[in-house]
Amino acid sequence: MKVLSVASEAYPLVKTGGLADVVGALPAALAPHGVHTTTFIPGYPPTLKAVGGRAIHKWRDLFGGEARLLRGQLGEHPLVVLDAPHLFVREGGPYGDASGADWPDNWRRFAAFARAAAEIARGGVKGLSFDILHAHDWQAALAPTYLRYADTRVRTVMTVHNIAFQGRFDAAIFPELGLPAAAWAIDGVEYYGGVGFLKAGLEAADVITTVSPTYAREILEPEFGMGLEGLMRAREDKIRGIVNGIDPAVWTPARDGALPASYTSRNLARRATNKHAVERMFGLQAGDGPIFTVVSRLTWQKGMDVLAECLDELVAMGGRLALLGSGDGALERAFLDAAERHSGAIGVRIGYDEPLSHLLQGGADAILIPSRFEPCGLTQLYGLAYGCVPIVARTGGLADTIIDANTAALGAGVATGIQFDPVDRASLLFAIRRAIDLYAQPETWQSLQRQGMKARFSWEASGAAYAALYRELSSL
Ligand code: ADP
Ligand code: GLC
């Protein structure tokens, strides 16, 4: 079984969030099930530099410029990269310039990427052939659409990592996409009078998956479907929820080079060394209360505005906070202000820092994830694996992966964290209070940590689920 996995990010080559972690981990997760995955990503400047690669195909004119397909490696697995300098070689991030504004030609960049993906999948590049094209998020979503109007037996899977990002553009771009006129239809790319990339992919794909079972249900409702709930309900029998796993090669505290002290669930005391490192790096004074951490995009989705309103009380209750994140300017300022008000109790790093994210999981006591919606969420899974107890909103993948420390679960020894809802100040403060009380009972706290470290959110089960899905599709 040969699969072309198409995405705009893949760890470790390019990452802005969880999508990259998942795409980076999938090939190894699928290999034991006889699935050979080739990953396809755009050639951003750092990607080109890291990959090098040999050109195996050329396009004279791909949406307004020359392009080449480079062959490389993603770890031990095959990779192909779209080198299209007119689209992807520029200063800035994968989706926007240094100031954070979206590139105005994003529709062209990702239409070109998707069209190239469709061509590769259907055998347009010598030496490559595939049974399945697996598209991730809106940036890849036109690939199933291009295949839908092509004569091919290649089957398609569209995975929604976050339905809030839909790739919506003006109707005027439609003629430039090179799709047949019939594609301008309510079951095609047309979406509220414009062009919808994700919408088109969801209509065209043979199967839709989301990254947790709860999110698969949630997006059937207006509160979470963000305008696509009607389409989702119409295609409900084609939707599956497969929870993400974590990559043990990257996230295992017993062998994590980013930690001053490695540890397992049997020698949790060694975490103290990491905790001291966190205190030093974030300018926190020693204290009896827990260190809470946040490793997150600072956005409304992540409930960071609600957390910002809880900080004075968090400190008054004896808690400390070490926060790593970036995003919304107003939220960044709110956290920096709080750090100034509570110097010694709150430390804030604005930015993106992969090794520091490991240190926080390996040294802080609890990780706060008050998301308003969360398709899967990975930081709570890293928290579990690292004995950094997750405190999460009861939504999406957070609801599916954390067992709340209520009396019954504590009594049965199965609790792994704290859940709360709704996402508001009072509920979050109550959850923080519960954490501080539990932390004051070292045996109970350690049992939460150990139970979390036992929870197996590796890719084994989810890799098998994707492989079964591919098989089912290819036998159609
Ligand atoms: P999302 O993809 O919605 O941002 P996830 O929880 O699925 O949320 O994945 C976020 C990923 O990005 C995790 O691997 C997390 O550790 C990482 N991350 C988020 N913010 C930062 C940051 N400021 N520095 C380093 N890693 C970060
Ligand atoms: C998205 C979601 C996140 C999920 C990640 C990987 O970024 O916001 O919840 O974990 O994709 O699937």
Side-chain angles (χ1 to χ4, degrees), residues 17-19 22 161-162 211 244 297 301-302 374-378:
L19 169 67
V22 172
H161 294 265
N162 194 338
V211 285
N244 291 328
R297 294 187 280 122
Q301 174 196 340
K302 301 289 180 182
E374 195 61 77
C376 179
L378 293 172

Side-chain angles (χ1 to χ4, degrees), residues 241-367:
I242 303 178
V243 75
N244 291 328
I246 69 176
D247 188 342
V250 186
W251 292 97
T252 300
R255 43 188 163 87
D256 184 332
L259 300 182
S262 56
Y263 58 94
T264 67
S265 59
R266 281 190 301 278
N267 52 19
L268 280 171
R270 286 172 59 83
R271 288 181 100 259
T273 307
N274 302 331
K275 189 166 175 173
H276 290 140
V278 170
E279 287 173 341
R280 271 199 310 280
M281 295 202 64
F282 284 81
L284 302 179
Q285 276 155 16
D288 296 333
I291 296 184
F292 296 92
T293 187
V294 167
V295 179
S296 183
R297 294 187 280 122
L298 303 180
T299 63
W300 184 88
Q301 174 196 340
K302 301 289 180 182
M304 287 295 134
D305 50 323
V306 180
L307 176 62
E309 288 174 10
C310 295
L311 297 180
D312 296 344
E313 283 90 341
L314 182 148
V315 173
M317 286 188 248
R320 288 169 290 160
L321 175 72
L323 176 143
L324 168 64
S326 65
D328 208 48
L331 288 171
E332 292 181 354
R333 276 191 299 281
F335 286 111
L336 288 169
D337 286 351
E340 248 184 64
R341 275 200 312 281
H342 300 289
S343 129
I346 296 184
V348 168
R349 284 285 178 104
I350 300 299
Y352 192 91
D353 188 330
E354 195 77 27
L356 189 54
S357 74
H358 285 243
L359 175 65
L360 286 165
Q361 298 277 13
D365 297 296
I367 181 159

Side-chain angles (χ1 to χ4, degrees), residues 451-458 460-461:
Q451 204 54 35
M453 293 175 85
K454 258 200 249 164
R456 283 284 163 258
F457 286 101
S458 69
E460 265 159 56

Side-chain angles (χ1 to χ4, degrees), residues 268-269 271-276 279 284-293 314 317-320 362-367 386-391 405 410 417-418 430-449:
L268 280 171
R271 288 181 100 259
T273 307
N274 302 331
K275 189 166 175 173
H276 290 140
E279 287 173 341
L284 302 179
Q285 276 155 16
D288 296 333
I291 296 184
F292 296 92
T293 187
L314 182 148
M317 286 188 248
R320 288 169 290 160
D365 297 296
I367 181 159
Y386 279 62
C388 184
V389 175
I391 300 172
L410 279 175
I418 292 175
F430 188 62
I432 291 170
R433 172 88 265 162
R434 288 178 64 203
I436 289 177
D437 290 348
L438 287 168
Y439 184 79
Q441 308 161 44
E443 272 179 30
T444 311
W445 189 260
Q446 276 167 29
S447 98
L448 275 180
Q449 291 179 295

